Amino acid sequence: GVGNVFIKNLDKNIDNKSLYDTFSAFGNILSCKIMTDDSGQSKGFGFVHFETQEAATNAINKVNGMLLADKKVFVGPFIPRNQRLGGDG
């Protein structure tokens, strides 16, 4: 998961484009996605996949704790489920 970041506590009005615009300042984005429910409403979290780990680290350092649409967002490295328990995947 090189270059993958996880963003949570997003305002419901932030869409894929807003997310992309916010994070594209840090580097080339391969993909970005806001998770939505069945009706297409934002669940308040999403992922951005940068081309490089450096860009991801910059984004985490700069955006974590920032206000986006009046909500303080959490940005951190994305950890795949199979690696969360200390397994090597």
Side-chain angles (χ1 to χ4, degrees):
V2 168
N4 247 328
V5 296
F6 170 69
I7 304 103
K8 69 180 182 186
N9 202 35
L10 287 166
D11 186 89
K12 299 273 192 249
N13 295 317
I14 292 177
D15 58 9
N16 288 337
K17 185 183 184 320
S18 310
L19 195 66
Y20 188 96
D21 290 347
T22 300
F23 285 91
S24 62
F26 302 102
N28 191 27
I29 293 175
L30 302 177
S31 67
C32 85
K33 183 168 179 58
I34 295 214
M35 303 316 283
T36 55
D37 60 21
D38 295 337
S39 66
Q41 180 77 14
S42 168
K43 288 184 178 177
F45 69 95
F47 306 94
V48 176
H49 188 184
F50 286 101
E51 193 171 28
T52 64
Q53 186 56 49
E54 185 185 12
T57 303
N58 275 338
I60 291 166
N61 292 340
K62 299 285 197 304
V63 186
N64 187 35
M66 246 177 69
L67 289 176
L68 292 182
D70 294 330
K71 286 185 82 166
K72 191 174 187 174
V73 297
F74 166 86
V75 186
F78 169 67
I79 300 162
R81 186 165 286 138
N82 64 3
Q83 291 173 21
R84 280 180 204 157
L85 302 174
D88 57 13

